[in-house]
Amino acid sequence: MEVGRGEKENQELLESFLSQFDTLEDAVNALQDYAERQNKIRRTGSRTLSHAATVVDVKDLAKSYKLGRQKITALNDVSTQVRAGEFVAITGASGSGKSTLLQMIGGLDRPSSGSVVIDGKDIAKMRDGELSRFRGQTIGFVFQFFYLQPFLRVETNLEVPAMFARIGRRERQTQAKNLAQAVAIDDRLRHFPRELSGGQMQRAAIARALMNQPKILLADEPTGNLDSKNGAAIIELFEDIRERFGTTIIVVTHDPAVARRADREIRLKDGVIL
Amino acid sequence: MIRFRDAIVLAHTKLRVRRIRTGIAVGVSGLLFGLLLFVVIVAQGVFDSIDRFSDEGLNDRTILQVTRSGGAGSFNLYDERHNQEFIAEVRVAHDQFVKRKQAAAKKYDISYDPKTEDPSPIGIDPDTKQPAISDAGYSSDIVNKAAAARSKAEYKPFDIKKYIHSYKSARVLGEFMQVAPSDGYLSYMKDNKEKLETDADPSRLNKNIATDDSQALTVLEGSLTKPFISSKNFDAKKGEIPVVLPYSHAEKLLGLKKLDADASNEQRVQRLAEVRERISEVKASFCYRNEASQSRLAEATMQVSDIKRNQTSKDYQRPSVIYKLPSENDCGAVTITSDTRTAAEKKQATQRELYEKEIGTWPGDPQQQKITVRGVGVSSDFDTSGSVWSISEFIKSMLGSHLGYEAWAIPADLLAQVPLEYRPNAVFEKADNLDTSGFFMYETHLVEFADKVEARQLLEKTGGIFGGYGDDDVSVLPFGSGILFVDELRRMFIEFMVWVFVAIGSVALIILGAIIGRTIADGRRESAVFRAIGARRVDIGVIYGTYALLLSLRVALFALLLGVLGALIIHVAYGEQATFGAQLAYAASDTSVQFSLFSLATWYIPLIILAIVGVGMLSSLIPILLGARRNPIRDMRDDT
């Protein structure tokens, strides 16, 4: 069951929000920025969520696997929908099934039962090759540990998804430059990942995820390996991306600050949505 | 599927992880394959060089020397010593001989008592108590003549054409004929001088023994000697016999001091060229004497010695006929300087001559002739100052083109141009195959094969590529060159290298399989990430396949580098020595031809490179298949 936010909860969130800033002025500035962004969204009409199409439709999804003789149920009868351009946070304790749900949506794993319809296509019924192609074109992945190839320059790292999509070299180089600019690492393109800070690495990983202009961006604990400042910056980047490209963003997170920035939060416990 | 160019970019990153492990794998595999390539490059250099030298000597021809051993199937006196029929025949012949002597002695008034006749060649065998040829009988003329007659009657000539008829490409070049006078001796005149010492043993002047003092002469078909001939101005009308000499003999006869053992290769090759160029200056002499001339010479030398020894003795009575020895340079006849015999004595001598002619013991009139030979060409020899284990010596002994060991070869076509008076039939006509004891001597024929396979078949029938004895007492040996040996060596080499490759390939398969397997296992998280960002299983397979290809190419490149470098070092170190060895081995007419120990001109090199890549790819197959089946989620989870 999806939940709204109660008064008490809002107060807790406010306190938590204020604790991120050194002064009240900083907090007010941040709120003003947020309000401006929201206004901008309203003005441009890029987020007409109530009218947007459903891009992710999870129905009666279950996933169980065997661990030795024990049967583990990771997801149990999960149903949810995500609309185009929505920023959704999946939260829950460790082992609640949030990463499994993300992987199911990303088509990295097959459900035991139920269906996952992405952009109108039931990916559970796709064959491996078709699914991979679909994933490469429709979904972008961002990981907690970035997973950049250490022996490739940042620019080449960005191009990797385009390589699998057989996009021409010139085209993907242009795209990599544009994305690097969008995530503010264009001065780091010729560097190797080891020469980048954690925040820069995650920005590069996000740029890589956006390489094939996916409709959906899936992020698994994207701020889990970053300090709060860089974490906040990454979330801002997600918002910016959604604003610019209209990308649907689904983030798995432990971080309440991230969850708060989302349009909606899906809470999971023991494989079911609360 | 991912583009190959992009797969290379991604696969290349795999080579950068675990560099030490990858380095060891590349190093060990490369070293093994490098060794293989090194051997192939050196061997190809050798084989190419042999081909380059194939125009020299007889290396472009496949000739076998087919010999049937003496007396095969004929009468053997020793085995037949108890043959009562033969003994009866000898007894009759002996009795008839005694009777003939009695009659002739009476006719020519010669005193002859049968009791003084040599003991009968027939005695009683103490073991069997039966008549048998006695020990003395083996040296009896009567016994030997009877045995020779039987041998001749039982002798079946060696039908060489029949022997080789199943080999369609074979043709008989002719008999390998050593110059061997049927009556008397042909002796080498060292320094153009005949041995006239009183202790001269006629056997030392043996016609067939090749020593420092006497050489064996062989008449060979013109096409066999032609490649060795360097003199263009041989004039048959001068009455000299043309000969092709082994290099060291020619060098000595030209009065050239043998080069020091530490002489440079350049000096040695220059010497070879000089010997070839000056071969027409080589002149040597032989002296032919028939049995009568030889025994007259022996009698004369003994007389000269006696007279000299008894110069001061008052009791010494000089012989009535005094001989004069010929000049040692002439090979002339023994002459008589004084004859003080009485008329009766002279008559008695005439009567004895007639008597001996009647009973068949007269040796005939003395005949002698000086035979002069002239160098026309140089063949290789086996007498060198180098070490047996040196490269040049190995090449010479294995690959040399020669005309028989130490033999002086007379080109039959040039010999035929020499006027008959200078090449007496008594010397140059083929002698009876019977030796003086009635045993048949060896019969050797030279047979040329257009098809090397057939030649090898015949050799193998008689004991292998180096030849040997087969059935029917026939032996077969390669003649003129080691071309069959080289071919066999080439065949064996290829066979051997295939096995070496299989062994090395197996080891490399394990090494590369392990490293590729490990790399794929280590990269499972990365593969999972690739899957997440759009890679299909086949893309992962292509990336790792490309990685295996790049790794194999590194191994191949390293191996090639090692092989080429090693072969170059060997070539630089031993190439010059090998060139010298080859030029001497082939008695090369063109001394600019080099013997190289390095050649890349072989299909085996790209084949081995391909095979290395094949081994690498093969070793990656199972790890790739296993890797592609992995669950990316599990791999990502395991790693985080």
Side-chain angles (χ1 to χ4, degrees), chain B residues 82-114:
Chain B
H82 293 112
N83 182 334
Q84 294 306 311
E85 196 188 322
F86 178 67
I87 288 165
E89 188 185 318
V90 169
R91 185 172 281 134
V92 169
H94 181 74
D95 292 347
Q96 284 175 350
F97 180 63
V98 171
K99 279 180 187 165
R100 207 163 60 242
K101 279 179 98 172
Q102 277 179 311
K106 194 176 175 185
K107 183 177 173 183
Y108 296 109
D109 195 20
I110 300 291
S111 137
Y112 172 65
D113 181 358

Short mmCIF file of all heavy atoms in Angstrom, two decimals, chain B residues 82-114:
data_model
loop_
_atom_site.label_atom_id
_atom_site.label_comp_id
_atom_site.label_asym_id
_atom_site.label_seq_id
_atom_site.Cartn_x
_atom_site.Cartn_y
_atom_site.Cartn_z
N HIS B 82 85.30 -80.67 -49.41
CA HIS B 82 85.05 -82.12 -49.28
C HIS B 82 84.24 -82.68 -50.45
O HIS B 82 83.85 -83.83 -50.44
CB HIS B 82 84.29 -82.41 -47.98
CG HIS B 82 85.11 -82.13 -46.75
ND1 HIS B 82 84.82 -81.09 -45.88
CD2 HIS B 82 86.20 -82.74 -46.25
CE1 HIS B 82 85.69 -81.07 -44.90
NE2 HIS B 82 86.56 -82.08 -45.11
N ASN B 83 83.98 -81.83 -51.43
CA ASN B 83 83.18 -82.25 -52.59
C ASN B 83 83.99 -83.27 -53.40
O ASN B 83 84.95 -82.92 -54.09
CB ASN B 83 82.83 -81.01 -53.42
CG ASN B 83 81.96 -81.34 -54.60
OD1 ASN B 83 81.96 -82.47 -55.11
ND2 ASN B 83 81.24 -80.33 -55.07
N GLN B 84 83.62 -84.54 -53.29
CA GLN B 84 84.42 -85.63 -53.89
C GLN B 84 84.44 -85.53 -55.41
O GLN B 84 85.43 -85.88 -56.05
CB GLN B 84 83.86 -86.99 -53.45
CG GLN B 84 84.01 -87.27 -51.95
CD GLN B 84 85.45 -87.11 -51.46
OE1 GLN B 84 86.40 -87.66 -52.05
NE2 GLN B 84 85.64 -86.35 -50.37
N GLU B 85 83.38 -85.01 -55.95
CA GLU B 85 83.33 -84.84 -57.41
C GLU B 85 84.37 -83.81 -57.83
O GLU B 85 85.12 -84.01 -58.80
CB GLU B 85 81.93 -84.37 -57.80
CG GLU B 85 81.62 -84.52 -59.27
CD GLU B 85 80.29 -83.85 -59.61
OE1 GLU B 85 79.36 -83.94 -58.79
OE2 GLU B 85 80.22 -83.24 -60.70
N PHE B 86 84.41 -82.71 -57.08
CA PHE B 86 85.39 -81.65 -57.37
C PHE B 86 86.81 -82.17 -57.13
O PHE B 86 87.74 -81.91 -57.92
CB PHE B 86 85.10 -80.43 -56.49
CG PHE B 86 86.08 -79.30 -56.66
CD1 PHE B 86 86.14 -78.59 -57.86
CD2 PHE B 86 86.96 -78.94 -55.65
CE1 PHE B 86 87.05 -77.55 -58.04
CE2 PHE B 86 87.88 -77.91 -55.81
CZ PHE B 86 87.91 -77.21 -57.02
N ILE B 87 86.98 -82.97 -56.07
CA ILE B 87 88.30 -83.52 -55.74
C ILE B 87 88.77 -84.44 -56.89
O ILE B 87 89.93 -84.38 -57.32
CB ILE B 87 88.26 -84.27 -54.39
CG1 ILE B 87 88.13 -83.23 -53.25
CG2 ILE B 87 89.50 -85.15 -54.18
CD1 ILE B 87 87.73 -83.82 -51.91
N ALA B 88 87.85 -85.20 -57.39
CA ALA B 88 88.18 -86.10 -58.51
C ALA B 88 88.60 -85.29 -59.73
O ALA B 88 89.56 -85.61 -60.43
CB ALA B 88 86.98 -86.97 -58.83
N GLU B 89 87.90 -84.18 -59.92
CA GLU B 89 88.21 -83.29 -61.06
C GLU B 89 89.60 -82.69 -60.90
O GLU B 89 90.39 -82.64 -61.86
CB GLU B 89 87.15 -82.19 -61.08
CG GLU B 89 87.19 -81.30 -62.30
CD GLU B 89 86.19 -80.15 -62.18
OE1 GLU B 89 85.05 -80.40 -61.72
OE2 GLU B 89 86.56 -79.01 -62.53
N VAL B 90 89.91 -82.27 -59.68
CA VAL B 90 91.24 -81.69 -59.40
C VAL B 90 92.31 -82.76 -59.59
O VAL B 90 93.38 -82.49 -60.17
CB VAL B 90 91.29 -81.12 -57.96
CG1 VAL B 90 92.71 -80.78 -57.55
CG2 VAL B 90 90.40 -79.89 -57.86
N ARG B 91 91.99 -83.98 -59.11
CA ARG B 91 92.98 -85.07 -59.22
C ARG B 91 93.30 -85.34 -60.69
O ARG B 91 94.48 -85.45 -61.08
CB ARG B 91 92.43 -86.34 -58.55
CG ARG B 91 93.42 -87.48 -58.52
CD ARG B 91 92.92 -88.65 -57.69
NE ARG B 91 93.08 -88.45 -56.27
CZ ARG B 91 92.15 -88.69 -55.36
NH1 ARG B 91 90.95 -89.09 -55.74
NH2 ARG B 91 92.41 -88.51 -54.09
N VAL B 92 92.29 -85.38 -61.51
CA VAL B 92 92.49 -85.63 -62.95
C VAL B 92 93.31 -84.50 -63.56
O VAL B 92 94.28 -84.73 -64.29
CB VAL B 92 91.12 -85.75 -63.67
CG1 VAL B 92 91.29 -85.73 -65.18
CG2 VAL B 92 90.41 -87.03 -63.25
N ALA B 93 92.94 -83.24 -63.19
CA ALA B 93 93.65 -82.08 -63.73
C ALA B 93 95.10 -82.10 -63.31
O ALA B 93 96.01 -81.79 -64.11
CB ALA B 93 92.97 -80.80 -63.26
N HIS B 94 95.35 -82.47 -62.06
CA HIS B 94 96.72 -82.53 -61.55
C HIS B 94 97.52 -83.58 -62.29
O HIS B 94 98.67 -83.32 -62.72
CB HIS B 94 96.70 -82.83 -60.05
CG HIS B 94 98.05 -82.89 -59.42
ND1 HIS B 94 98.82 -81.77 -59.18
CD2 HIS B 94 98.80 -83.97 -59.02
CE1 HIS B 94 99.98 -82.13 -58.65
NE2 HIS B 94 99.99 -83.47 -58.53
N ASP B 95 96.92 -84.76 -62.45
CA ASP B 95 97.61 -85.85 -63.16
C ASP B 95 97.90 -85.45 -64.60
O ASP B 95 99.00 -85.69 -65.12
CB ASP B 95 96.76 -87.12 -63.13
CG ASP B 95 96.65 -87.70 -61.72
OD1 ASP B 95 97.44 -87.25 -60.84
OD2 ASP B 95 95.76 -88.54 -61.47
N GLN B 96 96.93 -84.81 -65.23
CA GLN B 96 97.12 -84.38 -66.62
C GLN B 96 98.22 -83.34 -66.72
O GLN B 96 99.03 -83.37 -67.66
CB GLN B 96 95.81 -83.80 -67.18
CG GLN B 96 94.81 -84.86 -67.54
CD GLN B 96 93.48 -84.25 -67.99
OE1 GLN B 96 93.27 -83.06 -67.86
NE2 GLN B 96 92.61 -85.09 -68.52
N PHE B 97 98.28 -82.45 -65.72
CA PHE B 97 99.30 -81.40 -65.73
C PHE B 97 100.70 -82.02 -65.62
O PHE B 97 101.62 -81.65 -66.35
CB PHE B 97 99.04 -80.45 -64.55
CG PHE B 97 100.02 -79.32 -64.42
CD1 PHE B 97 100.13 -78.36 -65.43
CD2 PHE B 97 100.87 -79.21 -63.31
CE1 PHE B 97 101.03 -77.30 -65.30
CE2 PHE B 97 101.78 -78.18 -63.20
CZ PHE B 97 101.86 -77.22 -64.20
N VAL B 98 100.81 -83.00 -64.75
CA VAL B 98 102.11 -83.67 -64.58
C VAL B 98 102.49 -84.38 -65.88
O VAL B 98 103.65 -84.30 -66.35
CB VAL B 98 102.06 -84.66 -63.40
CG1 VAL B 98 103.31 -85.53 -63.33
CG2 VAL B 98 101.86 -83.90 -62.09
N LYS B 99 101.51 -85.03 -66.48
CA LYS B 99 101.79 -85.75 -67.74
C LYS B 99 102.19 -84.77 -68.85
O LYS B 99 103.11 -85.02 -69.62
CB LYS B 99 100.55 -86.53 -68.18
CG LYS B 99 100.40 -87.86 -67.47
CD LYS B 99 99.16 -88.58 -67.95
CE LYS B 99 98.95 -89.83 -67.09
NZ LYS B 99 97.61 -90.37 -67.25
N ARG B 100 101.49 -83.61 -68.86
CA ARG B 100 101.79 -82.62 -69.91
C ARG B 100 103.20 -82.08 -69.71
O ARG B 100 103.94 -81.85 -70.65
CB ARG B 100 100.78 -81.49 -69.81
CG ARG B 100 100.55 -80.79 -71.12
CD ARG B 100 99.28 -79.95 -71.17
NE ARG B 100 99.22 -78.89 -70.17
CZ ARG B 100 98.30 -78.83 -69.22
NH1 ARG B 100 97.37 -79.78 -69.16
NH2 ARG B 100 98.31 -77.86 -68.34
N LYS B 101 103.55 -81.89 -68.46
CA LYS B 101 104.90 -81.40 -68.16
C LYS B 101 105.95 -82.41 -68.58
O LYS B 101 106.99 -82.05 -69.14
CB LYS B 101 105.03 -81.09 -66.66
CG LYS B 101 104.47 -79.75 -66.27
CD LYS B 101 104.59 -79.50 -64.78
CE LYS B 101 105.80 -78.66 -64.46
NZ LYS B 101 105.82 -78.26 -63.06
N GLN B 102 105.65 -83.68 -68.31
CA GLN B 102 106.60 -84.74 -68.67
C GLN B 102 106.83 -84.73 -70.19
O GLN B 102 107.95 -84.77 -70.67
CB GLN B 102 106.04 -86.09 -68.25
CG GLN B 102 106.30 -86.41 -66.78
CD GLN B 102 105.71 -87.76 -66.36
OE1 GLN B 102 104.54 -88.04 -66.65
NE2 GLN B 102 106.54 -88.57 -65.71
N ALA B 103 105.69 -84.62 -70.92
CA ALA B 103 105.77 -84.65 -72.38
C ALA B 103 106.53 -83.45 -72.91
O ALA B 103 107.41 -83.57 -73.77
CB ALA B 103 104.37 -84.70 -72.96
N ALA B 104 106.20 -82.25 -72.34
CA ALA B 104 106.84 -81.02 -72.82
C ALA B 104 108.31 -81.01 -72.47
O ALA B 104 109.16 -80.57 -73.25
CB ALA B 104 106.14 -79.83 -72.21
N ALA B 105 108.66 -81.56 -71.28
CA ALA B 105 110.05 -81.59 -70.85
C ALA B 105 110.86 -82.46 -71.79
O ALA B 105 112.00 -82.12 -72.16
CB ALA B 105 110.12 -82.12 -69.41
N LYS B 106 110.23 -83.55 -72.19
CA LYS B 106 110.92 -84.46 -73.11
C LYS B 106 111.12 -83.79 -74.47
O LYS B 106 112.19 -83.83 -75.06
CB LYS B 106 110.08 -85.74 -73.26
CG LYS B 106 110.80 -86.89 -73.90
CD LYS B 106 109.90 -88.11 -73.89
CE LYS B 106 110.60 -89.24 -74.64
NZ LYS B 106 109.71 -90.41 -74.75
N LYS B 107 110.05 -83.05 -74.89
CA LYS B 107 110.07 -82.41 -76.21
C LYS B 107 111.15 -81.32 -76.28
O LYS B 107 111.85 -81.18 -77.27
CB LYS B 107 108.69 -81.79 -76.46
CG LYS B 107 108.52 -81.14 -77.81
CD LYS B 107 107.07 -80.65 -77.94
CE LYS B 107 106.87 -79.82 -79.21
NZ LYS B 107 105.50 -79.31 -79.25
N TYR B 108 111.28 -80.54 -75.22
CA TYR B 108 112.22 -79.41 -75.26
C TYR B 108 113.50 -79.69 -74.48
O TYR B 108 114.25 -78.76 -74.17
CB TYR B 108 111.54 -78.15 -74.72
CG TYR B 108 110.36 -77.72 -75.58
CD1 TYR B 108 109.08 -77.85 -75.15
CD2 TYR B 108 110.61 -77.21 -76.87
CE1 TYR B 108 108.00 -77.47 -75.94
CE2 TYR B 108 109.53 -76.84 -77.67
CZ TYR B 108 108.23 -76.96 -77.21
OH TYR B 108 107.21 -76.60 -78.01
N ASP B 109 113.69 -80.99 -74.18
CA ASP B 109 114.93 -81.40 -73.53
C ASP B 109 115.13 -80.65 -72.20
O ASP B 109 116.18 -80.08 -71.92
CB ASP B 109 116.10 -81.15 -74.49
CG ASP B 109 117.36 -81.89 -74.02
OD1 ASP B 109 117.21 -82.86 -73.23
OD2 ASP B 109 118.46 -81.46 -74.39
N ILE B 110 114.09 -80.61 -71.45
CA ILE B 110 114.16 -79.96 -70.13
C ILE B 110 114.14 -81.06 -69.08
O ILE B 110 113.38 -82.02 -69.19
CB ILE B 110 112.93 -79.05 -69.91
CG1 ILE B 110 112.83 -77.95 -70.98
CG2 ILE B 110 112.91 -78.43 -68.51
CD1 ILE B 110 113.88 -76.89 -70.92
N SER B 111 114.99 -80.88 -68.10
CA SER B 111 115.04 -81.91 -67.06
C SER B 111 113.84 -81.72 -66.12
O SER B 111 113.61 -80.64 -65.57
CB SER B 111 116.37 -81.74 -66.33
OG SER B 111 116.21 -81.85 -64.98
N TYR B 112 113.03 -82.78 -66.00
CA TYR B 112 111.86 -82.71 -65.13
C TYR B 112 111.61 -84.05 -64.46
O TYR B 112 111.50 -85.08 -65.12
CB TYR B 112 110.61 -82.34 -65.96
CG TYR B 112 109.33 -82.44 -65.15
CD1 TYR B 112 109.08 -81.60 -64.05
CD2 TYR B 112 108.35 -83.39 -65.47
CE1 TYR B 112 107.92 -81.73 -63.33
CE2 TYR B 112 107.19 -83.51 -64.74
CZ TYR B 112 106.97 -82.66 -63.67
OH TYR B 112 105.83 -82.78 -62.94
N ASP B 113 111.56 -84.04 -63.15
CA ASP B 113 111.29 -85.27 -62.39
C ASP B 113 109.94 -85.06 -61.69
O ASP B 113 109.80 -84.18 -60.83
CB ASP B 113 112.39 -85.47 -61.35
CG ASP B 113 112.16 -86.74 -60.55
OD1 ASP B 113 111.12 -87.44 -60.80
OD2 ASP B 113 112.98 -87.03 -59.67
N PRO B 114 108.94 -85.85 -62.04
CA PRO B 114 107.61 -85.69 -61.41
C PRO B 114 107.66 -85.75 -59.89
O PRO B 114 106.80 -85.20 -59.19
CB PRO B 114 106.80 -86.85 -61.99
CG PRO B 114 107.51 -87.22 -63.23
CD PRO B 114 108.96 -86.94 -63.02
#
